[in-house]
Amino acid sequence: MASYYDMHSHILPEMDDGSKSLEMSLEIIEKLRAQDVKNICLTPHYYTNEESLESFLNRRKESLDILLSEVPEDVKICLGAEVYVTDYLFNNDDLSEICYGDSKYILCEFPFSSTFSNRTMDWLYKLSANYGLKPVLTHIERYDHLMSDEGLVESLCDEDIIIQTNVGAFKGFSQKRKLLKYIKRGYIDIVGTDCHSLTRGNPDEYTETINLIREKCGQEYVDHIVNTSAEIFSPIK
């Protein structure tokens, strides 16, 4: 069986509000590895309204240098970012270094109150049309407007937006039911732990969620998540 993919994590040590130490990062990786999650994307927060791209990339490299030599040999790492999209982002000519590895996919975050109005859709269009990138919308469950408007979610999918959900989001009955419905409709493409520590974005919940999706939706939907993740994943060489 192919290994699973964590497409969203904050386990680069001392990089953002995630892992506070190398030891914590390695413990999180080991917990994922024990569940056969051996393809891990490192996606630290990049707040485009607070920091230059150059500064972010320099900090990320320093953190990666601390972690990389300690990662188990059977674990593959993909470097990326969780990009908070604002107008400031588009002051940069090249955004390739904040995509997932060498891919064209870029993990995008917006204010949780976003209604995905014309302005937000224009940003997504610019990423595609002006930069040749493929937006990935992070943790759909955080956007109340999307969770209450299936038609809007369908329209995002029609624009080839990849949609991610967190494995820890399947808790409350109503939200779990809605997420499973979205998976069955083909709206949700990838999953991630969004792990910040051993308890915030609990890495131990990965297997539980995959098993839930398999039980309630079917193996073909798990396969879709794995296959889409494999398409995006671009390991460090």
Side-chain angles (χ1 to χ4, degrees):
M1 183 182 69
S3 297
Y4 292 118
Y5 295 78
D6 183 354
M7 301 301 292
H8 181 178
S9 77
H10 297 273
I11 55 180
L12 273 176
E14 301 182 69
M15 178 65 196
D16 54 12
D17 60 343
S19 173
K20 302 305 180 187
S21 67
L22 172 61
E23 291 73 24
M24 179 183 290
S25 299
L26 294 175
E27 188 169 355
I28 293 169
I29 289 172
E30 189 55 41
K31 284 182 174 292
L32 291 170
R33 184 169 172 254
Q35 299 170 88
D36 205 28
V37 183
K38 296 181 181 178
N39 304 285
I40 300 173
C41 295
L42 306 176
T43 54
H45 288 290
Y46 172 34
Y47 293 108
T48 59
N49 56 327
E50 298 179 2
E51 184 178 16
S52 71
L53 179 56
E54 181 181 10
S55 171
F56 171 79
L57 293 175
N58 286 338
R59 291 195 307 109
R60 190 183 65 173
K61 183 180 185 305
E62 290 175 2
S63 182
L64 179 66
D65 287 345
I66 293 170
L67 176 64
L68 202 54
S69 64
E70 303 294 331
V71 173
E73 290 185 0
D74 61 341
V75 172
K76 295 180 180 178
I77 295 296
C78 173
L79 189 61
E82 181 180 7
V83 181
Y84 187 73
V85 180
T86 68
D87 282 324
Y88 293 101
L89 176 64
F90 302 100
N91 292 332
N92 299 286
D93 294 329
D94 183 4
L95 302 179
S96 61
E97 291 191 82
I98 49 175
C99 293
Y100 283 103
D102 294 326
S103 80
K104 295 294 185 180
Y105 293 91
I106 184 169
L107 185 64
C108 299
E109 181 182 30
F110 300 95
F112 297 156
S113 60
S114 177
T115 60
F116 289 80
S117 62
N118 290 341
R119 186 183 188 192
T120 305
M121 297 306 294
D122 184 54
W123 282 336
L124 290 168
Y125 176 79
K126 282 183 178 180
L127 288 170
S128 176
N130 296 0
Y131 293 85
L133 303 183
K134 300 178 180 181
V136 178
L137 179 63
T138 190
H139 41 54
I140 186 177
E141 64 276 359
R142 303 271 181 90
Y143 304 103
D144 290 341
H145 203 75
L146 293 183
M147 293 300 285
S148 63
D149 188 344
E150 183 178 342
L152 179 55
V153 176
E154 184 175 11
S155 70
L156 289 172
C157 294
D158 288 343
E159 295 296 328
D160 293 326
I161 306 297
I162 299 294
I163 295 180
Q164 181 255 322
T165 189
N166 291 345
V167 297
F170 295 76
K171 296 297 183 185
F173 176 77
S174 178
Q175 181 161 285
K176 177 172 70 173
R177 183 173 62 178
K178 178 61 69 70
L179 288 172
L180 290 171
K181 177 182 178 182
Y182 279 5
I183 288 172
K184 287 182 178 180
R185 296 285 172 87
Y187 301 151
I188 292 176
D189 305 291
I190 59 175
V191 301
T193 60
D194 196 7
C195 184
H196 286 65
S197 68
L198 295 168
T199 55
R200 183 183 171 194
N202 186 348
D204 288 324
E205 295 176 330
Y206 194 102
T207 298
E208 177 183 347
T209 297
I210 288 295
N211 288 340
L212 175 68
I213 294 170
R214 181 180 290 110
E215 176 188 351
K216 299 296 184 180
C217 303
Q219 180 63 40
E220 63 266 35
Y221 295 95
V222 174
D223 292 342
H224 172 71
I225 288 169
V226 171
N227 292 337
T228 306
S229 299
E231 179 182 328
I232 296 170
F233 195 87
S234 179
I236 291 174
K237 297 176 182 178

